[in-house]
Amino acid sequence: EAKYKIQMAEVANPTPPPPPTGDKSTDLNLTSITDGSNSSGIPKVKFVEDIEEFSSSFKPKASAEVLIGAFSELFSKFKAYETNLQNKRLNFQQKLPEISKTLQLVQHLKAKHDEGATVTTQYNLCDTVYAKAELEKTGTVHLWLGANVMLEYTYEEAIEYLTIKEKDAKEEYDKVTEDLAFTRNQSITAEVNMSRIYNWDVKNRREAKALETAAATKM
C-alpha cells in the first residue's frame, strides 16, 4: 500500500520542464493543466477546448513550446504509473486464484474433519514421484504468510483469515483496474492536447508568415 501511494505521488507532483528562453516567468504548474483528481488522488488532465484562450490565461502568454512541454512531462508520468498499475494488477491476477484455491482446500478439510472421515492425499517427493499419505486429524493447518513465515491455524481461524484476504484482494484488484482505466484515459487526453496545441501553433505560424508575405508584396 505504501509503495502504491508513493507511485501515485509521483504522478500527482510532476516536475514541469524548464521553459525556453523568453518564457521563464510564465506561471504554469500542475493545477494549470489538471482539473481535480479521482478518489485515489490521480490527477485528471484538463482538456483544452480553446487553446488561444488557455495560452492567454498565463502572464506572459504561454508559448506552444511551454504548453507542450508541460503536457509531455505529465504524459510521461502517467505512462510510468500505468506500467506500475499493470504490474500490480497482474500480481493480483496471480494471487487471487491461489487464495481461493487454498480457502476451498481448507473448507474441504474442515468438512471431512467434521464428518470424522480420513483424508488421503498425495505429496510430491521429487519432480516426478508422488506418494500417498493420510492426514492426521489435528483440526489445524499451516499457512504460508510470506517472508518465509508459516503459522498454524485451526480450520475455523484459517477459513476466517483466508475469507478476509480474498475479499480484500478482490476489492484492491477492482480498484487497481479502475485506476488503470482512468490513468490510460488521462494519458490519451494529454496526448490529444499536445497534438492540438502543435496544430494550433503551426496554424498561427502559417498565418503570421502569410501576413508577412502579403505586407512585403504591398511594399
Side-chain angles (χ1 to χ4, degrees), residues 23-78:
D23 291 309
K24 291 184 178 180
S25 59
T26 300
D27 183 19
L28 193 153
N29 51 43
L30 179 66
T31 58
S32 304
I33 58 177
T34 58
D35 186 17
S37 60
N38 72 349
S39 59
S40 296
I42 304 174
K44 179 180 179 182
V45 179
K46 182 183 296 182
F47 177 73
V48 182
E49 291 280 357
D50 188 328
I51 301 174
E52 181 66 37
E53 180 182 345
F54 183 67
S55 175
S56 300
S57 66
F58 302 99
K59 302 299 180 184
K61 180 179 179 179
S63 67
E65 288 81 2
V66 170
L67 294 177
I68 291 175
F71 280 111
S72 177
E73 180 72 12
L74 189 57
F75 174 80
S76 297
K77 294 289 185 181
F78 274 118

